[in-house]
Amino acid sequence: MDDAISEFNLVTPVLPDSVATEAMIGRAVTQHVRGRVSAVAGESVEIEGMTAPLGAICELQSQDGVISRSRVIGFRGVKPILAPLERLNALSAGDSVRLVDTTLKLRVGPSLCGRVIDAFGQPVDGKPLPKDLQIVDAEREPPHSMERPAIDAPLQTGIRAIDAMLTCGQGQRLGIFAGSGVGKSTLLGMLARGSDADRIVIGMVGERGREVQEFLERALGEVGFARSVVVVATSDRPAAQRVAAAWTATAIAEAFRDQGENVLLLIDSVTRFAMAQRELGLAAGEPPTTRGYPPSVFNLLPRLVERAGRTDRGSITAFYSVLVEGDDQNEPIADTLRGLLDGHIVLSRDLAAGAHWPPIDVLQSLSRLQPHLVAPHDLKVAAAARQHLAEYRRHADLISIGAYRQGSDPKVDAAIAMRDPLNMFLQQEASQITPLPDSNRMLAQLIGTQAVNSSVNGGVSAQAAGVDSMVDSSPGVVTT
C-alpha cells in the first residue's frame, strides 16, 4: 500500500484557514454596483452614481471595450476617487465603472516558487498559474503584539560581515540603507542565495525594467530562484500598482509563514513604495508635509513592516532596501524606517569606491537583536573587532599623513595591525557563501590570535596572509 501511494505521488491537500475564509466571504460583493466616470485629472479618476469603500477594486470599461482596474484612494465629497492600477486607454466621461471587490485578492501556494508575477498575482513569465493555489487577501492586519514570540534563533545570510558582526534573527526586520548605485541589488542577491530560509519572496518595487531579468540571472541565480517568488512592478507602472506590489509580496510571505515555514522577504525598495504612495496621496488631495510626503506615507510604513516578524506558526525575516536621497541618512523615509525596524545595514559609497565589496559600513550599522542571538564569546569577539575598526577610523587622518608614531598608544597600534586583516574578512565575492558558524569561527581566530608586533608592516602582512589562508581553505566557504 505504501509503495502504491509513493508511486502515484499523492500529496495531502492543505485546507485554507477557516477564519480567513469566513472573513473573506463576509467582505465579498454579492450584488452589482455600477457607476460612471465623472472626471479625470492626471492619475486620478472621479466617479459618480455609486459608492465604494476605501481600497476597493473597480473595473473601468472604455467605449472601445477595454477594461482596466483601479483602486479607491479617497473621496471628493460623496464621489469616490480612483487611482488606476493599469494604464488608462481612451477613457472618457460617462464610461462604465463596476465594483469588483472590496480588497485585492491573490492566489498563493508553495507551487508558486520559481515564478515571476505582477502586483495582482498574475504571471509575467509566460506560464500559467498552478492549479493548487489558495485565495488570500493582499492586505491584512499585522499579528497582535502578544502573539509574537521572542526572536531567539539566528538566520544565516551567508555574508560574513552580517553573520559575524550584525547577526540577524529569524523574524527580524532590517533596513539596507544606501544611495543609488552602491550595490543594494547585489547584496539582496547574496542574501537570497546564502540564506537558510525555507522560502524567499522578493518584491521589486519601482525598479528599472532592464534590472528585473538581470537580477534573476546574475544576482539571484538558478538556485536562489528555485525557492523564490518574485513580485515585479517596474518604474513605468502606475503608482497604485507599485504600492500594491509591496502588499502582494508581503501577503505571499504571510501565506508561507502561516504554513509553518521560515520566510525571507526582500523588498527593493521601500523608498519607491513611499514615493508611489506620495503620488496617490497628493492625487487624493492630501496636504504635502515633510519634503512633499503626505501624512498617509508615514501611516503606511509601519503597517507594511509590522506585518513581517515571527508568530507561533513561522517567521518572516524582512530586509527592506532604503534608497537615501543624496546619501543623506537622515532624510524623512530613512529616518522613519530606522525607528521602525530592528536594525539597519548601511552601505558606504566610500567603501564601494575603494572596491570593498560588499560595502557594508559595520560601524554605522546595527542589529538590535544580536546580543540575544549569539553566544557571549562571539559577542565579545564582534565587539573587539568593532573597537579596532573604530579606533583606526578615529585616528585615520593622523595615520594617513604619517603623524602617528608607533608605540604611542597600544590601542592604535593594535587597530593599525588589524585593519587589513579585518577588511579582508569583511570583503566577500558575490558568488561566495560562508555558513554562519564558519564566519564566527574565522573572526574568533582573527581576533584571538592577533598580537601587535614590533614591526607594524610585518604584523599586517603576516596576519593578512593568515586571513587569506582561512578564507581560501575554510570548508564552509562555498562558491556558487
Side-chain angles (χ1 to χ4, degrees), residues 131-401:
K131 302 293 186 180
D132 57 347
L133 302 181
Q134 302 175 15
I135 299 177
V136 299
D137 275 331
E139 297 185 39
R140 55 186 279 190
E141 291 297 317
H144 193 274
S145 58
M146 300 305 295
E147 298 174 356
R148 296 177 181 265
I151 298 174
D152 53 11
L155 176 82
Q156 174 185 300
T157 66
I159 303 172
R160 293 192 293 269
I162 296 178
D163 286 344
M165 305 289 290
L166 306 164
T167 310
C168 172
Q170 294 180 1
Q172 190 171 350
R173 302 158 305 175
L174 296 99
I176 300 176
F177 295 75
S180 57
V182 181
K184 296 186 302 300
S185 297
T186 302
L187 183 62
L188 291 175
M190 294 176 68
L191 287 169
R193 292 194 307 273
S195 169
D196 59 358
D198 301 320
R199 307 281 182 181
I200 303 171
V201 181
I202 303 170
M204 304 186 71
V205 181
E207 290 294 313
R208 294 181 289 272
R210 173 190 62 81
E211 291 185 332
V212 176
Q213 188 70 20
E214 185 177 299
F215 178 82
L216 296 179
E217 295 179 355
R218 298 182 182 178
L220 190 57
E222 184 178 350
V223 176
F225 184 52
R227 55 180 176 140
S228 302
V229 180
V230 182
V231 182
V232 177
T234 52
S235 58
D236 62 319
R237 298 290 88 193
Q241 189 175 143
R242 281 176 272 147
V243 171
W247 299 124
T248 297
T250 305
I252 295 173
E254 288 173 327
F256 288 143
R257 178 182 62 185
D258 291 345
Q259 294 175 4
E261 296 182 307
N262 295 317
V263 186
L264 177 65
L265 173 64
L266 308 175
I267 301 292
D268 185 22
S269 73
V270 71
T271 303
R272 294 191 176 100
F273 165 83
M275 289 179 175
Q277 179 58 34
R278 175 170 62 183
E279 295 181 36
L280 298 182
L282 295 178
E286 287 188 71
T289 53
T290 308
R291 291 198 186 180
Y293 288 102
S296 63
V297 172
F298 301 100
N299 290 335
L300 283 185
L301 288 177
R303 286 177 51 192
L304 177 67
V305 302
E306 284 295 327
R307 289 174 64 179
R310 184 184 176 191
T311 66
D312 292 331
R313 297 182 179 182
S315 68
I316 299 177
T317 307
F319 286 83
Y320 302 94
S321 74
V322 183
L323 182 63
V324 294
E325 298 180 2
D327 291 343
D328 180 10
Q329 299 292 336
N330 295 316
E331 58 94 17
I333 301 302
D335 194 49
T336 300
L337 283 168
R338 194 180 295 109
L340 293 173
L341 299 174
D342 305 319
H344 50 274
I345 298 172
V346 178
L347 303 188
S348 168
R349 191 175 297 276
D350 291 337
L351 291 178
H356 184 292
W357 303 106
I360 298 175
D361 190 337
V362 174
L363 295 180
Q364 297 295 323
S365 306
L366 175 69
S367 172
R368 297 181 179 179
L369 297 180
Q370 185 181 18
H372 309 289
L373 300 172
V374 301
H377 175 264
D378 292 333
L379 189 61
K380 291 179 181 178
V381 169
R386 277 181 173 270
Q387 290 171 0
H388 287 307
L389 294 172
E391 197 70 29
Y392 187 91
R393 181 172 296 184
R394 192 177 300 116
H395 297 84
D397 292 338
L398 293 176
I399 297 171
S400 62
I401 64 175

Side-chain angles (χ1 to χ4, degrees), residues 122 142 366 478:
Q122 298 301 314
L366 175 69
V478 180

